[in-house]
Amino acid sequence: MPDTSRTIDAVWKLESAKIIATLTRMVHDVGLAEELAQDALVAALEQWPGAGVPDNPGAWLTTTAKRRAVDHIRRSRMLAGKQEQLAHEREEREERQEPEQDDVLRLMFLSCHPVLPTEARAALTLRLLGGLTAEEIARAFLVTAAVVTRRIAAAKQTLAERRVPFDLPGESELPERLSSVLEVIYLIFNEGYSATSGDDLMRPGLCLEALRLGRLLAELAPREAEVHALVALMEIQASRSAARTGPSGEPVQLHEQNRGRWDQLLVRRGFTAMLRAREAGGAPGPYMLQAAIAVCHAQARTAEETDWAQIATLYGALARLLPTAVVRLNRAVALGMAHGPQAGLDLVDSLVADPVLRDYHLLPSVRGDLLLRLDRGPEARLEFLRAAALAKNAAERAFLRRRAEAVPADGGPAGPAPGPTLGRAAEGFLGRAELDAATVRSYGQTLRRLRLDLGDAAPLSGLTAEEVARVCTAAWGSAAARTWNRHRAAVRSFGAWAGLEELAAGLERRPEPRLRTTAPDPAMLDALWSDPGVPLRERTLWRLLHESAAGVTTVLSLNVEDLDLEDRRARAGRTWVSWRSATARLLPLLLAGRTRGPVFLSDRRPGPARTPAPADLCPDTGRRRLSYERAEYLFKEATKPLDPAHEGYTLRRLKPDPQATPRS
């Protein structure tokens, strides 16, 4: 029995993509096709342990699945004429002698269709073409199985609703569609090769799956140069896997790797794939150029023999073809190696204000490397610490911290920087007792951005108005005037508290348009108050906002211990929020005996990577305070049917008209 189960599992991994592809051609619905394929798998699990494994298990599964599909077509009233169409399609296929592999290629293009979000494309591809379960995909991407299941279900629904055909793309749309497939495969590979989060630097299972998919695509599309180039790139990068980590799983930089540990079989396979890409002809694409860079590294017997000038030239060509911030950052590394660290630093400094790289830990990491080579140790140390704060992968974070600790902070012995730092000052500023929860959240958003961009370890005395202006402009330069002014006010308050009066000197106040408050529509209010489907939390929040006329942020910042239910009021910082009878009836029901924590709570508990501040967490339920964004979204969704424009209203529409008669 155990041996049979393992056999079934192995056969399913090998044959599932072809079976699902065949069924999709028959029923024109990838979701239904997967269900029918699963029925065939269940049949195998039931029959093979007793009857034995058939001589051709793949053919058995395919035949059984096809029978399920034909039975489904016959049973469906809506598809009464489908049997004749099925026979006609089979005859056409026999006449054309289409290989079964064409269906697999169609399935690959379908699961990677551009109408789907990137995460959904990756999950659906691994499910349909990799045969991975939702649990396996979830473990690979460090999310829950429920999240993966929802992504896959939503992807299938989108494909069905948009009526995406199960066809190979035409010549005009082939480049875009093929680019989407290659993007998904390389995304899967990269998540395995350099895990963006979690404890481990690599997830080999994803690398192997991406390589398998890439090799399969190369067989199915042998004339596409970019396909072979992507395979070459992945083969060569995968060849370094054993040398990329040290004994404790710590990262080993490329120039420090033991090249004797590189897998020469994978290197040769990469070279072969590169030759096929060149034989396919055409102008070099982005994967061809990246593969050429990988070949340069693989051909060098030692790090010192690397042809950095050639690599810099290739990155220049890649930047012209694909002028993304990440490509330009990689080019800066190559320029720094080929023409000296100052050349690389000049390019990196031009990228500092790019919002795409704002939270990309490799930007300060690269800058730290270049500064260190220029003997600017204290600056390099701060960059490594900032990179560590941004890194989501535990192995990379620990590695960057060790690099920072090895660099002297002030030209003396290695160690922490002397004097107050930005991080410690920000914590002291936000920890003051006189600040209410709403103010702490607002100031905290501004200071968190400064801490991420400038580094917690940055000496407070070294902060300049120019640096602060650069950070604020990159983060909120295109924001509304009100948002810009709020962050400017936070910087001014922090600067005044820290004795840095000129910290906001580079931040000009922007004129704000006068907001016109529209009185709530009585018909809208009556519809909301009488709707039995409105959840208790939303009903209480909306009533409280309407009866109190208080701001949304103020009401959401209320804690249970601040409430005076008998007098129908609550303390909110230096002011009071009062309400009337409708809210008074609802609040006890909402609190349900709770005596502390936020009044309005989110639906779910926060994940381990999103632990809120203690003041925003309910100690009884473990749920966090309801956010302004979520509250606004729920109100807009609830009021869309009441809005002639069908866009929904903002929570400010609940604010009563000061001249109106009070309503309860």
Side-chain angles (χ1 to χ4, degrees), residues 354-560:
D354 194 316
V356 174
L357 298 176
R358 187 183 304 155
D359 293 326
Y360 190 48
H361 70 286
L362 291 182
L363 175 64
S365 175
V366 168
R367 194 167 189 276
D369 275 322
L370 295 167
L371 288 168
L372 199 58
R373 290 173 56 200
L374 289 168
D375 295 325
R376 294 162 61 178
E379 296 173 76
R381 181 181 181 279
L382 293 177
E383 292 296 320
F384 290 138
L385 287 173
R386 192 161 73 86
L390 292 171
K392 296 179 176 64
N393 181 277
E396 283 189 292
R397 188 162 54 246
F399 170 73
L400 289 164
R401 283 176 179 161
R402 285 194 299 272
R403 292 204 69 187
E405 291 166 0
V407 180
D410 55 359
T421 61
L422 173 58
R424 290 198 293 268
E427 289 169 3
F429 174 71
L430 297 173
R432 292 176 296 154
E434 63 265 29
L435 297 182
D436 58 63
T439 304
V440 170
R441 278 198 302 277
S442 178
Y443 285 175
Q445 290 175 357
T446 309
L447 291 176
R448 180 180 179 275
R449 186 73 264 158
L450 290 175
R451 293 170 70 175
L452 284 174
D453 280 25
L454 301 177
D456 269 354
L460 190 62
S461 60
L463 291 187
T464 66
E466 290 76 14
E467 288 177 320
V468 172
R470 172 180 59 77
V471 172
C472 292
T473 301
W476 306 294
S478 59
R482 187 177 182 186
T483 301
W484 170 269
N485 290 338
R486 175 170 64 84
H487 291 294
R488 174 181 178 270
V491 172
R492 292 185 68 190
S493 297
F494 174 67
W497 175 84
L500 302 171
E501 301 290 345
E502 300 299 316
L503 205 58
L507 306 176
E508 292 291 333
R509 192 181 190 284
R510 297 178 180 177
E512 298 182 23
R514 296 189 63 180
L515 294 175
R516 293 193 305 170
T517 302
T518 305
D521 178 8
M524 178 194 76
L525 294 177
D526 289 339
L528 289 176
W529 305 153
S530 61
D531 185 353
V534 175
L536 176 61
R537 180 189 62 185
E538 280 81 294
R539 185 184 299 275
T540 307
L541 173 62
W542 300 345
R543 277 285 193 178
L544 179 51
L545 287 169
H546 180 61
E547 293 183 356
S548 68
V552 180
T553 302
T554 300
V555 169
L556 291 175
S557 71
L558 293 177
N559 293 319
V560 180

Side-chain angles (χ1 to χ4, degrees), residues 233-263:
L233 176 60
M234 294 191 298
E235 299 276 16
I236 294 173
Q237 287 184 327
S239 73
R240 309 173 195 151
S241 296
R244 291 186 67 236
T245 55
S248 303
E250 70 277 9
V252 178
Q253 294 178 293
L254 181 60
H255 68 277
E256 295 177 342
Q257 290 176 13
N258 177 1
R259 301 191 175 210
R261 299 187 66 194
W262 289 4
D263 188 326

Side-chain angles (χ1 to χ4, degrees), residues 1-10 45 49:
M1 178 71 175
D3 289 341
T4 302
S5 297
R6 281 195 293 270
T7 300
I8 294 173
D9 184 60
L45 290 169

